[in-house]
Amino acid sequence: MKTTQLYRAQLGLSQEAMSQYLGVTKSQLAMYEAGKRELPTAALIKLAEITQFFGLNIVTEEEQIDLLNKQELDVKVLLTHQVKELEYKQMKEQRLLDAIQKKYHQNLELHSLALHLQKSKLPLANVLLQQAIRGIEANGLAKQVQQQLKLESIQGQQAYIKSLQKSK
């Protein structure tokens, strides 16, 4: 394996990016890596600089620690933002659940009233009964369970994020 391939793999660079750095065309680099051509002197000098860098390991331990600390801080900021976003979602979904349950109970009461009025043979009773049935179907137990599942999903996400925060 040619050194350029090794360095490209180590640095996560494409042939195109490496060829731009070395100042050669992509096809020149490909032919060099295939053993069919040599690189120009200027490109070999740049390649030697990369080789020297890896040989000296110029990045100090302190620089690596600084970089790692910055990344850990970025993670903490991200997790804090996610917690706040999930708290907002939870409040929103809880309000929606409360509204669904309220409408459901109101329609149950309306249903009871309509049944009572039907006994008195009042014409309004059938209209109220149909309205109550539509409201019960729209805000029924299935809808409530669906909303509760959303809430529990959010709570699960919150618990996971909090566990990540504790491990950091």
Side-chain angles (χ1 to χ4, degrees), residues 107-126:
N107 283 293
L108 284 177
E109 291 293 323
L110 182 59
H111 187 268
S112 295
L113 175 64
L115 289 177
H116 176 72
L117 293 176
Q118 259 187 344
K119 292 175 187 173
S120 305
K121 307 256 192 255
L122 292 174
L124 178 63
N126 288 336

Side-chain angles (χ1 to χ4, degrees), residues 37-49:
R37 177 175 202 166
E38 287 300 317
L39 288 175
T41 305
L44 290 173
I45 291 170
K46 288 181 180 178
L47 190 57
E49 290 172 358

Side-chain angles (χ1 to χ4, degrees), residues 52-87:
Q52 184 180 11
F53 168 80
F54 280 111
L56 296 176
N57 196 9
I58 294 172
V59 178
T60 66
E61 189 175 325
E62 185 178 314
E63 289 172 327
Q64 289 177 347
I65 290 171
D66 287 345
L67 181 61
L68 183 59
N69 287 339
K70 187 198 176 309
Q71 288 183 12
E72 287 176 352
L73 181 62
D74 290 346
V75 168
K76 286 179 182 179
V77 168
L78 171 77
L79 293 177
T80 300
H81 176 75
Q82 286 296 109
V83 165
K84 288 179 183 178
E85 191 174 303
L86 287 171
E87 286 171 352

